[in-house]
Amino acid sequence: MYPLHLIVLPAGFLLDLLFGDPAGLYHPICLIGDGIAFLEKALRALGGCQEPGEHPRREMIWGGVLVLLMLFCAYVIPLAALIVMGRAWPEAAVVLEIFWCWQLLAAHSLKKESMNVYGELVKPDLEKARCAVSMIVGRDTQSLSEEGVAKATVETIAENTSDGVVAPMFYLIILGVPGMFLYKAINTMDSMLGYKNDRYLYFGRCAARLDDAANFIPARITALLMVLASFIDGLDGKNAWRIFRRDRFRHASPNSAQTESVAAGALHLQLAGDAWYFGKLHEKPAIGDKDRAIEPEDIPRMDRLMYVTAFLATACFTLVRMGVTMAL
């Protein structure tokens, strides 16, 4: 039955491409998020760290306990389900893997949400565009200009091409579909707990550091595939490579600027720079050269680049898995 597993990634990606998230079903990421929220409340109470900042060491310890519990549950539960089903009905286990892969890839959702922003910008309705972009970014959006909204959208597509598409594929190839759940738990913990504010500076530190580590290799694979995709998509691949080599470390995160630098070079834009989070201005270095002003049309351009990168990743990872299968 093992060769059947070779179709899991291409089939799951195709379903996401055609249909997006299955309608009317409780999404696994929501379940993971609910689990994180429940454990945070329970472990803060158990560890006596309800008041953020009073006991930094205690907060870091109990935040680490939360991470370990979520990693265990996110990997073992789907693995056990697949093992039990695989023994009784192997074909059904493969179908379940495809279904979960479909749910856990976010290319269609990323395009849909970004195009919602694009639709409001071209009307134009800046207030609704700010509201739409607030659904996909963590920064303050209420005072963003049209250019700021477009830039924030392009940046989140670039970053989430790795986080939402290529990285889950990477962990699927290494650890199977339970590996996708494991990665999504890490990514969701970072998005919920990995803030450098009073509440999560210590409690969320383990989650944030783990997310950096988990994305280290996938972010760089995604960036290289995105450079190749720039050539295929008719963008400036040479400049994408140049800016990637120059600016890929211009970010507090070791990973975010990897793909943002490629996008900036391919589109001849300047991304990143200062941004407001929770009412505080965070100074950030710029990525790329400001060869031209950003415009709403850069959003669909970035979506196309994301999809070409996703196709390349699907093909490459499937070939790698096929090679390993044949070798074994």
Side-chain angles (χ1 to χ4, degrees):
M1 290 304 300
Y2 189 78
L4 271 180
H5 291 274
L6 295 174
I7 71 171
V8 170
L9 176 54
F13 176 64
L14 181 62
L15 288 168
D16 178 69
L17 175 68
L18 295 175
F19 305 111
D21 289 332
L25 295 178
Y26 191 66
H27 201 281
I29 304 304
C30 296
L31 184 61
I32 290 171
D34 289 343
I36 294 168
F38 171 79
L39 284 175
E40 181 188 355
K41 183 177 180 180
L43 293 175
R44 279 188 182 276
L46 184 63
C49 45
Q50 293 98 328
E51 293 298 325
E54 283 192 359
H55 305 284
R57 182 177 176 81
R58 191 183 299 175
E59 285 188 60
M60 285 191 285
I61 290 172
W62 287 101
V65 172
L66 184 153
V67 167
L68 291 175
L69 289 173
M70 282 305 306
L71 292 180
F72 178 82
C73 294
Y75 185 74
V76 171
I77 292 174
L79 178 63
L82 289 172
I83 289 173
V84 171
M85 185 172 288
R87 289 175 177 172
W89 191 2
E91 293 86 352
V94 175
V95 171
L96 181 59
E97 283 189 278
I98 293 172
F99 177 75
W100 277 340
C101 179
W102 173 18
Q103 283 192 303
L104 293 173
L105 290 176
H108 189 281
S109 296
L110 185 57
K111 180 186 177 183
K112 179 181 177 182
E113 294 298 328
S114 62
M115 289 304 289
N116 285 343
V117 180
Y118 171 76
E120 300 300 340
L121 285 176
V122 297
K123 282 183 180 178
D125 191 326
L126 182 56
E127 284 302 318
K128 288 187 177 179
R130 289 169 175 164
C131 181
V133 78
S134 71
M135 305 301 292
I136 56 174
V137 300
R139 72 190 65 181
D140 299 342
T141 63
Q142 60 268 24
S143 60
L144 288 179
S145 64
E146 178 182 306
E147 182 176 344
V149 170
K151 184 173 79 166
T153 307
V154 168
E155 289 170 1
T156 200
I157 299 169
E159 185 174 353
N160 282 287
T161 299
S162 177
D163 293 0
V165 185
V166 178
M169 293 181 180
F170 175 78
Y171 284 97
L172 166 64
I173 295 303
I174 295 176
L175 297 170
V177 170
M180 297 182 79
F181 277 94
L182 185 72
Y183 172 75
K184 284 295 187 178
I186 294 171
N187 196 239
T188 307
M189 283 189 286
D190 179 62
S191 67
M192 293 178 66
L193 309 175
Y195 296 103
K196 292 182 179 180
N197 57 22
D198 293 340
R199 182 171 179 80
Y200 293 115
L201 181 61
Y202 302 108
F203 191 86
R205 184 168 297 181
C206 181
R209 296 285 173 81
L210 181 60
D211 184 74
D212 286 343
N215 281 295
F216 190 87
I217 295 175
R220 284 148 182 80
I221 292 174
T222 307
L224 294 175
L225 291 174
M226 193 179 285
V227 171
L228 179 57
S230 300
F231 286 101
I232 296 172
D233 196 35
L235 299 172
D236 194 339
K238 289 184 178 180
N239 198 52
W241 175 246
R242 181 180 72 85
I243 298 299
F244 166 70
R245 293 179 64 193
R246 190 191 76 187
D247 293 353
R248 65 187 185 276
F249 296 118
R250 289 189 179 180
H251 201 285
S253 162
N255 305 315
S256 296
Q258 302 292 319
T259 49
E260 286 188 32
S261 60
V262 177
L267 296 171
H268 284 272
L269 300 174
Q270 188 172 80
L271 301 177
D274 298 349
W276 290 85
Y277 294 85
F278 304 105
K280 295 182 179 179
L281 179 64
H282 289 250
E283 296 182 357
K284 300 180 179 182
I287 297 172
D289 298 325
K290 195 169 185 178
D291 298 329
R292 62 179 181 85
I294 194 166
E295 59 186 9
E297 290 302 322
D298 287 312
I299 297 173
R301 289 184 189 118
M302 192 62 223
D303 279 329
R304 288 194 299 272
L305 184 58
M306 178 269 293
Y307 263 118
V308 177
T309 304
F311 273 109
L312 289 174
T314 301
C316 290
F317 289 150
T318 301
L319 288 173
V320 168
R321 199 173 195 191
M322 187 181 299
V324 172
T325 301
M326 292 175 66
L328 295 176

